Amino acid sequence: MLTLTENASAIVNEITSQPGVAETAGLRITSEPGPEPAFAISAAQEGAPGDQVVEQAGATVYVEESAAVLLEDKILDAAVDPTGKVEFALALQG
């Protein structure tokens, strides 16, 4: 199952704990069609049917069923660049 680094958990918590955001809010990862695996990350009020739910350190990430298979052995990391933009990266577990 996809895991989150401490940085990723903190950033997801910050994104989803804004005023007016539902308690079920999280980030949602979906796979995009193409010859190479590609993913999209967006804020979501809740998961979709069939999504895998990853909860870690108070952060919630919904992973689309087809993306979950590809991300099963991955770690999601995140950082904020000098301009304030959030960047996500994937690495192999272990």
Side-chain angles (χ1 to χ4, degrees), residues 1-4 24-31 39 42 44 46-56 59-76 90 93:
M1 177 183 286
L2 177 72
T3 60
L4 309 177
T24 58
L27 291 188
R28 185 161 190 260
I29 301 175
T30 56
S31 59
F39 304 97
S42 59
E46 60 186 22
D51 281 358
Q52 183 181 82
V53 181
V54 177
E55 294 179 310
Q56 196 171 319
T60 302
V61 176
Y62 301 106
V63 186
E64 175 191 44
E65 196 170 356
S66 58
V69 173
L70 298 169
L71 298 174
E72 178 175 53
D73 60 348
K74 304 294 187 293
I75 299 169
L76 180 67
L90 292 168
Q93 292 179 14

